[in-house]
Amino acid sequence: MSIHQPPAANAVHAAGSVLRARRLGIDTYQHLVVYLRRDSPVCRAEGFEAQSRIELICGALTVTATLNVADSELLELDEAGLSDASWRALGVRDGTPVQLRHAAPLQSFAAVRAKLQGRPFDDAALLAVAQDIVAGRYSDIHLATLITACSGSHLDLAETIALTRAMVAVGQRMQWPAEVVVDKHCVGGLPGNRTTLLVVPIVAACGLIMPKTSSRAITSPAGTADTMEVLAPVSLEVEQMRQVVRREGGCIAWGGGVALSPADDILIRVERALELDSDGLLVASVLSKKVAAGATHVLIDIPWGRTAKVRSEQAARQLANRLEACGQALGLHVRCVLSDGSQPVGSGIGPAQEALDVLAVLRGQDDAPQDLRQRALTLAGLLLELGGKAAQGQGEALALQTLESGAAWRKFQGICAAQGGMRELPQACCSQVLTARHGGRVVAIDNRKLSTLAKLAGAPRAAAAGLRFHAPLGTVLTPGQPLLTLYAETPGELRYALDYAETQSALVTVEDA
Amino acid sequence: MSIHQPPAANAVHAAGSVLRARRLGIDTYQHLVVYLRRDSPVCRAEGFEAQSRIELICGALTVTATLNVADSELLELDEAGLSDASWRALGVRDGTPVQLRHAAPLQSFAAVRAKLQGRPFDDAALLAVAQDIVAGRYSDIHLATLITACSGSHLDLAETIALTRAMVAVGQRMQWPAEVVVDKHCVGGLPGNRTTLLVVPIVAACGLIMPKTSSRAITSPAGTADTMEVLAPVSLEVEQMRQVVRREGGCIAWGGGVALSPADDILIRVERALELDSDGLLVASVLSKKVAAGATHVLIDIPWGRTAKVRSEQAARQLANRLEACGQALGLHVRCVLSDGSQPVGSGIGPAQEALDVLAVLRGQDDAPQDLRQRALTLAGLLLELGGKAAQGQGEALALQTLESGAAWRKFQGICAAQGGMRELPQACCSQVLTARHGGRVVAIDNRKLSTLAKLAGAPRAAAAGLRFHAPLGTVLTPGQPLLTLYAETPGELRYALDYAETQSALVTVEDA
């Protein structure tokens, strides 16, 4: 059976409806919004209504935006008002002609619906999903549904491999003139665990190539990129990143700036708002970025603990297996390390506070947090072994020597300079000390609540916001002794974090000393 | 362990930041958006950024809105621009003082995250979720995640009962001065199956009380409320609905207008966009509205078929069991009927086209669709028996007599008049006949594709849009014979539907006759 199709229809479709672009000066973050007058002939002829998904076409570029309808005089009848994100995505100027039409049905979403009914994703389906995400065809509710369908352990190994490949396929892929290119990653969930900023200069100082790209925070108060950004620019373009690595052997750049896994960058925004974890999305996110960055040998740190992102040793082992198996399928040497996730690493939480800890270790200050220093040495040592710069069991000694000699600190300064220049740390305008009401020995710390507290204070967006934690496990507190210091960039945020602290009774647990 | 909290913090929080309301004239559909100048002191003091979730407080009302940041002269520094939905929700006027503060963390969403990790919802969690939804605290991505977590068969019976109770608890509940109050529902998925508009006048003419509330379309080209709306007003307030039922014994109103299950109304908007089905959400949606509407006896029609919403007899039986068990827990007499879901009912698909079929049956026209007529008589008969107006096995004869005598048609006209007056059917400006290319006997019809076609043409928003289907199962087609006629209210939508039809080769399947 088939349908008679009048030949005229496609001709009309190809022409579409053309309006003049106008920047409205409305910042909707990453949301592409187009504003049209309700009484515009285009709205009426096309049957557009508020929240319609509309394709905006300008030259070779097509993006999908959500329609907001203006009843007022914000716009002329023949204008298409653009939010800042739409404006950037189309790269237009005031008056540029933009063609508008209904977005095509989202075919790839059928696979998401099928997945929810128990049918696994296949390779082609996930590639189509990734392509549609990167083309901006997934609205927020589609992204949220996809993330939910992939949450927890709902993706199996084959799906995880397919998703990783799909994410690599829809982004850029870097190549390096070296046989061994190392990388590291921490699955996160442990506030303050900023070892990357130490590991990169140590191994680069020893001659390994480490073009490190990091994400910004997903559900934490600071990602590696957020912390590095208070010390030096991280939004490098591919060519800049190449130059930094050529000169210094390593870099610490924001992955989103080089579009190594752009589908992941889009998913992360919604994952962050939902605070949903997913083994499959995590593995695909991490490994797609490593493959795209051109890494050959990857060390992955998996801290586990009752209130860490990974809550048990068993879960950590499962994740390690998944990472190693998926890495193998993609031609990567992946080694995972399970580590202690029972408390924050270092004292600072939030971009600037964590950067302070990193600088103290690099400079060999007496007050440098020893836990952060030791973790970095262990990881750098393993990476030196994995990358062939040290024999089995000899890596950590080489790392220690590189740190103590000042070579790592000089390398870090060199990397910052190459990335655009080292920066002064930002200062928080507002701070507040929270004190212990009862005395006793600290026997447990709630990482998640500390993270929430730092986020409510404004981290990671407000770089100076966060906290310094003064009571690691084993500390014997007396009543009135400082427990932590909160930092914020606005009084409103400080107040907001304090309100939260007031309602939480178990940031730390004490026992009689 | 506890935290020292300086007493000043709460005092500051209570004061908040006050701005003047201003209607910006931007229609974002149901999305509550607030627009602030980036350089406004409030934005800076509170650390608000684009997409922040912000509580707007005006008198006793608090709503949660999403922030869009204006860089331009759209607003004054001390103004809070409001989208139409925010404006309506707050009920303010230009210049009314509105207080702004960060939205509190969404505590109830923790239960959704836990559910995704396999922990079932408990009663308290679902009540908190429903309360937060009605208060507007769930953003679209939270709603999408909740719907996804509840999709398919992910809610068990206990959760479904708890969700139904929660939905009832957060809305209004009607009471009627009668011991027996009947209701009916069709789980849908069968285009054109508009029996409610026939059943209500038949049973009301026989003396039963039937205060029918219906939803608008969720994933279909027309819901009962959409079809009724082309014939009479359906957005009745509670008091209007009471008056109509007092006068006529029955009504056909839009449920959203009387806020009988407002949480469901909010979920439905996102379910519609995602086209996701869920047994648990379906049962809670249907039964919460019946309980809230004050029904005591409910008949539920479950059409099943390969391309209906319910795809197999087994799935239909499961759903029937769930509906009956959940009804029992809520004190409702629920009876389910499984029916044929292999093809559309009647010829029309879309509000106005379906209304034409209903009128033909009520008026006893020769060209009235017999399948729609017969289904309505069966259901009305069962409802007359369930409600005690006819002995077992006698209901259908009473229904037939009521239809043939013209009593049902007079009752329908009375109901329309009581609801605000019968309307003229809207006319579509554009139509296009699609013809069969090959001849043969029609052996299968894809309900879903026909629905999609009608939706692409503009249904249900454009009331005159949709299609008339000319080739029911068993029809022997010759090449060039009309298969269906498409109707649209704009050339753009007609073109859009035609584009879809062109790419679909199996709207109907034919075999050699």
Side-chain angles (χ1 to χ4, degrees):
Chain A
M1 187 71 254
S2 67
I3 298 291
H4 172 69
Q5 163 71 2
N10 264 333
V12 178
H13 201 164
S17 299
V18 177
L19 295 175
R20 294 184 297 122
R22 164 136 165 240
R23 179 174 202 162
L24 270 193
I26 296 181
D27 175 5
T28 53
Y29 192 50
Q30 295 183 4
H31 290 267
L32 275 58
V33 178
V34 58
Y35 304 83
L36 297 180
R37 282 267 291 265
R38 190 184 303 282
D39 50 351
S40 74
V42 167
C43 248
R44 286 153 56 163
E46 297 285 338
F48 293 157
E49 58 181 340
Q51 299 304 117
S52 283
R53 299 281 291 167
I54 294 179
E55 283 183 358
L56 309 178
I57 304 153
C58 182
L61 273 177
T62 299
V63 302
T64 306
T66 300
L67 176 62
N68 282 192
V69 174
D71 280 306
S72 54
E73 310 292 301
L74 293 175
L75 291 164
E76 300 294 325
L77 285 174
D78 66 341
E79 284 180 334
L82 299 179
S83 71
D84 291 355
S86 302
W87 188 260
R88 284 193 303 269
L90 279 178
V92 288
R93 305 177 0 157
D94 274 327
T96 304
V98 175
Q99 187 185 332
L100 288 85
R101 66 176 180 211
H102 280 283
L106 193 55
Q107 307 273 9
S108 70
F109 196 68
V112 180
R113 284 192 209 98
K115 170 71 181 170
L116 290 168
Q117 287 163 10
R119 201 175 333 145
F121 288 115
D122 62 25
D123 295 14
L126 285 170
L127 181 60
V129 166
Q131 285 166 335
D132 279 344
I133 290 173
V134 170
R137 294 194 195 103
Y138 272 54
S139 70
D140 273 13
I141 61 172
H142 291 112
L143 292 170
T145 298
L146 171 64
I147 288 164
T148 308
C150 298
S151 69
S153 52
H154 289 133
L155 290 189
D156 67 19
L157 177 61
E159 292 173 303
T160 306
I161 292 169
L163 180 60
T164 310
R165 287 208 175 104
M167 282 181 170
V168 171
V170 299
Q172 300 198 50
R173 192 162 174 175
M174 303 188 84
Q175 288 183 321
W176 304 98
E179 269 187 34
V180 173
V181 177
V182 299
D183 211 330
K184 81 157 276 278
H185 186 83
C186 175
V187 300
L190 208 51
N193 193 14
R194 212 46 63 214
T195 53
T196 294
L197 273 64
L198 299 165
V199 171
V200 171
I202 292 172
V203 305
C206 294
L208 283 176
I209 301 294
M210 187 160 179
K212 181 80 183 86
T213 61
S214 300
S215 56
R216 300 191 188 277
I218 301 176
T219 60
S220 73
T224 294
D226 300 307
T227 302
M228 183 66 183
E229 196 166 36
V230 303
L231 294 165
V234 295
S235 294
L236 309 183
E237 314 245 319
V238 171
E239 196 40 50
Q240 289 176 289
M241 187 171 150
R242 228 184 282 276
Q243 280 172 23
V244 174
V245 174
R246 199 177 300 138
R247 192 173 117 180
E248 299 292 340
C251 71
I252 304 167
W254 172 50
V258 288
L260 289 182
S261 186
D264 184 50
D265 293 332
I266 291 168
L267 285 170
I268 276 177
R269 173 175 60 79
V270 178
E271 283 178 68
R272 183 197 317 219
L274 292 172
E275 299 187 37
L276 274 188
D277 288 331
S278 156
D279 269 13
L281 289 178
L282 188 153
V283 169
S285 168
V286 171
L287 296 187
S288 66
K289 291 213 145 82
K290 303 307 170 209
V291 173
T296 59
H297 294 71
V298 182
L299 182 69
I300 298 176
D301 179 17
I302 307 178
W304 63 271
R306 210 171 42 81
T307 60
K309 185 163 186 168
V310 178
R311 306 215 186 185
S312 67
E313 187 170 1
Q314 191 200 355
R317 289 207 186 286
Q318 270 175 11
L319 181 59
N321 290 342
R322 176 66 60 93
L323 282 160
E324 288 171 0
C326 186
Q328 192 168 26
L330 281 126
L332 282 182
H333 298 270
V334 173
R335 176 161 177 195
C336 294
V337 191
L338 275 52
S339 62
D340 172 20
S342 58
Q343 61 179 333
V345 181
S347 305
I349 301 178
Q353 295 302 323
E354 296 176 18
L356 273 174
D357 287 348
V358 166
L359 293 178
V361 172
L362 284 169
R363 290 167 172 158
Q365 290 170 211
D366 289 343
D367 62 350
Q370 292 307 304
D371 54 345
L372 176 64
R373 181 176 184 270
Q374 184 51 52
R375 274 174 185 262
L377 289 173
T378 303
L379 295 173
L382 288 168
L383 206 47
L384 288 167
E385 294 171 14
L386 193 62
K389 290 289 173 185
Q392 203 72 14
Q394 306 296 312
E396 190 167 328
L398 177 56
L400 177 63
Q401 181 193 325
T402 310
L403 184 65
E404 289 191 331
S405 70
W409 172 223
R410 286 189 299 276
K411 178 55 76 180
F412 186 79
Q413 291 170 293
I415 291 170
C416 287
Q419 290 191 188
M422 201 153 175
R423 291 170 167 169
E424 289 291 310
L425 287 191
Q427 299 291 322
C429 73
C430 322
S431 67
Q432 172 86 39
V433 176
L434 302 188
T435 56
R437 193 170 292 171
H438 308 292
R441 184 187 304 276
V442 176
V443 295
I445 296 169
D446 194 321
N447 291 318
R448 286 166 193 253
K449 289 184 178 170
L450 286 180
S451 291
T452 300
L453 200 54
K455 285 194 287 180
L456 292 177
R461 179 189 42 78
L467 59 88
R468 291 198 81 72
F469 185 66
H470 310 305
L473 290 177
T475 305
V476 177
L477 290 168
T478 52
Q481 185 174 329
L483 196 62
L484 58 88
T485 308
L486 265 177
Y487 297 93
E489 293 189 3
T490 67
E493 284 166 311
L494 185 66
R495 190 208 316 146
Y496 194 51
L498 286 169
D499 281 356
Y500 175 79
E502 188 191 23
T503 66
Q504 301 298 325
S505 56
L507 291 175
V508 307
T509 310
V510 296
E511 275 177 4
D512 286 344
Chain B
M1 187 71 255
S2 67
I3 298 292
H4 171 70
Q5 162 71 2
N10 266 333
V12 178
H13 201 163
S17 300
V18 177
L19 294 176
R20 294 183 297 123
R22 165 136 166 242
R23 179 173 202 163
L24 271 192
I26 296 180
D27 175 4
T28 54
Y29 192 48
Q30 295 181 5
H31 291 266
L32 275 59
V33 178
V34 57
Y35 303 82
L36 298 180
R37 280 268 290 265
R38 190 184 303 282
D39 50 351
S40 75
V42 166
C43 248
R44 286 153 56 163
E46 298 284 338
F48 294 156
E49 59 182 338
Q51 299 303 117
S52 283
R53 297 282 290 168
I54 293 179
E55 283 183 0
L56 309 178
I57 304 154
C58 183
L61 273 177
T62 300
V63 302
T64 306
T66 300
L67 177 63
N68 282 192
V69 174
D71 280 305
S72 53
E73 309 292 302
L74 292 175
L75 289 164
E76 301 294 324
L77 285 173
D78 66 341
E79 285 180 334
L82 300 179
S83 71
D84 292 353
S86 302
W87 187 260
R88 283 192 304 268
L90 280 177
V92 288
R93 305 179 356 160
D94 273 329
T96 303
V98 174
Q99 188 186 331
L100 287 86
R101 67 177 182 212
H102 280 283
L106 193 56
Q107 307 275 8
S108 70
F109 196 69
V112 180
R113 283 191 209 97
K115 170 71 182 171
L116 290 169
Q117 287 164 9
R119 200 172 336 143
F121 287 114
D122 62 25
D123 294 13
L126 285 170
L127 182 59
V129 166
Q131 285 166 336
D132 279 343
I133 290 174
V134 170
R137 294 194 195 102
Y138 272 54
S139 70
D140 272 14
I141 61 172
H142 292 112
L143 292 171
T145 299
L146 170 65
I147 288 164
T148 308
C150 298
S151 68
S153 53
H154 289 133
L155 290 189
D156 66 19
L157 177 60
E159 293 173 302
T160 305
I161 292 169
L163 180 60
T164 310
R165 286 208 174 105
M167 284 182 170
V168 171
V170 298
Q172 301 196 49
R173 192 161 173 176
M174 304 188 84
Q175 288 183 320
W176 303 97
E179 269 187 33
V180 172
V181 177
V182 298
D183 211 331
K184 81 158 276 277
H185 186 82
C186 174
V187 300
L190 206 52
N193 193 13
R194 212 45 64 213
T195 54
T196 294
L197 273 63
L198 299 166
V199 171
V200 170
I202 293 173
V203 305
C206 294
L208 282 175
I209 301 295
M210 187 161 179
K212 182 80 183 84
T213 63
S214 301
S215 55
R216 299 191 190 276
I218 301 177
T219 59
S220 73
T224 293
D226 300 308
T227 301
M228 184 65 183
E229 197 166 34
V230 303
L231 294 166
V234 295
S235 293
L236 308 183
E237 314 245 318
V238 170
E239 195 40 51
Q240 290 176 289
M241 188 171 150
R242 227 185 282 277
Q243 279 172 22
V244 174
V245 174
R246 198 176 302 136
R247 192 172 116 181
E248 299 291 340
C251 72
I252 304 165
W254 173 49
V258 289
L260 289 183
S261 186
D264 184 50
D265 293 332
I266 292 168
L267 286 170
I268 277 177
R269 173 176 58 81
V270 178
E271 284 178 67
R272 183 196 319 217
L274 291 172
E275 300 187 35
L276 274 189
D277 288 331
S278 156
D279 269 12
L281 289 178
L282 188 152
V283 170
S285 169
V286 171
L287 296 188
S288 66
K289 290 213 146 81
K290 301 307 170 209
V291 172
T296 59
H297 294 71
V298 181
L299 182 70
I300 298 176
D301 178 17
I302 307 179
W304 64 270
R306 210 170 43 81
T307 60
K309 184 163 189 169
V310 178
R311 305 214 186 185
S312 67
E313 187 170 0
Q314 192 200 353
R317 290 210 184 284
Q318 270 176 11
L319 181 59
N321 290 341
R322 177 63 61 93
L323 282 161
E324 288 173 358
C326 187
Q328 191 168 26
L330 281 126
L332 281 182
H333 298 270
V334 172
R335 174 159 178 197
C336 295
V337 191
L338 275 53
S339 63
D340 172 19
S342 59
Q343 63 178 332
V345 180
S347 306
I349 301 179
Q353 296 301 324
E354 295 176 18
L356 274 175
D357 286 349
V358 166
L359 293 178
V361 173
L362 283 170
R363 290 168 172 156
Q365 291 170 210
D366 289 343
D367 62 349
Q370 291 308 305
D371 54 345
L372 174 64
R373 181 173 184 272
Q374 183 51 52
R375 274 173 185 262
L377 289 173
T378 303
L379 295 172
L382 288 168
L383 206 48
L384 288 167
E385 294 170 15
L386 192 62
K389 290 288 172 188
Q392 203 73 15
Q394 305 297 311
E396 191 166 329
L398 177 57
L400 178 62
Q401 183 194 325
T402 310
L403 183 66
E404 289 192 331
S405 71
W409 173 224
R410 286 190 300 275
K411 176 57 76 180
F412 186 79
Q413 290 170 294
I415 290 170
C416 287
Q419 291 192 187
M422 202 153 174
R423 291 169 167 170
E424 288 290 310
L425 287 190
Q427 299 290 322
C429 73
C430 323
S431 68
Q432 172 87 39
V433 175
L434 302 188
T435 56
R437 194 169 291 169
H438 309 292
R441 184 186 304 276
V442 176
V443 293
I445 297 169
D446 194 320
N447 291 317
R448 288 165 191 254
K449 288 183 179 170
L450 285 180
S451 291
T452 300
L453 200 54
K455 285 194 289 180
L456 292 175
R461 177 189 44 77
L467 59 86
R468 291 198 80 74
F469 186 66
H470 311 304
L473 290 177
T475 305
V476 179
L477 290 167
T478 52
Q481 184 174 330
L483 196 62
L484 58 89
T485 308
L486 265 176
Y487 297 92
E489 293 189 1
T490 67
E493 286 167 310
L494 184 66
R495 189 205 320 141
Y496 194 50
L498 286 169
D499 281 357
Y500 175 80
E502 188 190 25
T503 67
Q504 301 298 326
S505 56
L507 292 175
V508 305
T509 310
V510 294
E511 275 177 5
D512 284 345

